[in-house]
Amino acid sequence: MLENLKTLHLPAMRDCFEQAAQHAEKETLSYEQYLLELSERECESRRHNRIAALLRESGLPREKTMANFDLKRLPVKAGRQLKALVDGGFLDRKENLLLFGNPGAGKSHLLCALAHELIAQGRRMKYTSCALMVRIVSQESLYPDSRRPARNNPVLQQLAFAGKRKHTARQSRLQLRRVHEFD
């Protein structure tokens, strides 16, 4: 049994099948109920591992979560909007999310907290600084034939394209607006 579960890559079932069998015998559970319990444990373990991996990949600061954010700081309208954003529908619709406010108002913390919530739903997020993004775009501009992250990222491609052209400040603002409206 252990070897089969190992071959089938079912580590959670491998770790708990004996305990679950004893529980099933004690509670006189049917075979189906026993298998259901085992499969539920495997699914939950995989979900937990996936979320942990997504969190590691995201690069998000661990401390910037909803639990650490004072929601009372938000205006009432922003609080309602946040509740609507937590479902992640804006991602499905490929809509951008822009936050504006004074320095220290909590914009970065709020976005990180939102990203944590979306990762808990199984969505992939990536946190990066503006400086790193500019460096990636600059490298893409210098080495267009190389395999850089901007190659597969449409927003970074737009930024790289905007950086290669010489234009006025007004044209730059228009180009950046197009980047923010990118879908």
Side-chain angles (χ1 to χ4, degrees):
M1 181 71 148
L2 284 172
E3 197 58 39
N4 288 344
L5 291 172
K6 187 175 182 178
T7 301
L8 293 171
H9 303 285
L10 299 169
M13 288 176 103
R14 189 178 64 232
D15 292 342
C16 71
F17 82 93
E18 291 173 331
Q19 177 189 6
Q22 291 170 358
H23 173 71
E25 188 177 339
K26 187 176 176 182
E27 298 291 325
T28 61
L29 299 177
S30 68
Y31 292 119
E32 290 84 6
Q33 291 170 318
Y34 167 67
L35 288 174
L36 177 64
E37 183 179 333
L38 278 178
S39 63
E40 284 175 344
R41 288 186 187 187
E42 184 67 37
C43 289
E44 182 58 32
S45 173
R46 288 181 183 211
R47 183 185 167 288
H48 177 73
N49 292 341
R50 175 168 164 67
I51 289 171
L54 288 172
L55 194 55
R56 277 191 309 275
E57 290 173 7
S58 72
L60 285 166
R62 305 283 177 165
E63 68 281 356
K64 292 189 177 184
T65 63
M66 286 292 187
N68 297 337
F69 186 78
D70 184 11
L71 292 172
K72 295 174 187 170
R73 294 176 58 187
L74 294 176
V76 176
K77 185 178 178 182
R80 277 186 256 137
Q81 289 173 331
L82 179 62
K83 289 178 184 175
L85 293 172
V86 170
D87 74 356
F90 72 99
L91 295 172
D92 298 331
R93 294 185 302 272
K94 297 181 177 155
E95 295 175 351
N96 292 313
L97 180 61
L98 301 174
L99 269 63
F100 298 95
N102 293 329
K107 300 176 297 294
S108 295
H109 189 146
L110 184 60
L111 286 175
C112 289
L114 178 60
H116 277 280
E117 295 294 316
L118 294 169
I119 287 172
Q121 297 171 18
R123 294 183 180 265
R124 179 171 272 127
M125 299 283 129
K126 182 65 179 168
Y127 178 81
T128 187
S129 67
C130 185
L132 179 59
M133 194 163 28
V134 168
R135 191 171 350 132
I136 291 169
V137 171
S138 297
Q139 288 174 347
E140 179 67 22
S141 299
L142 293 173
Y143 309 104
D145 295 333
S146 63
R147 294 186 171 262
R148 300 282 182 198
R151 278 253 176 278
N152 299 321
N153 188 317
V155 173
L156 292 180
Q157 288 173 356
Q158 287 286 325
L159 284 170
F161 177 73
K164 289 179 185 177
R165 295 177 45 198
K166 292 184 179 180
H167 37 59
T168 65
R170 185 180 186 297
Q171 289 170 325
S172 295
R173 283 193 303 275
L174 291 174
Q175 185 66 32
L176 282 175
R177 186 175 298 130
R178 275 191 230 119
V179 168
H180 289 301
E181 294 170 355
F182 188 85
D183 47 318

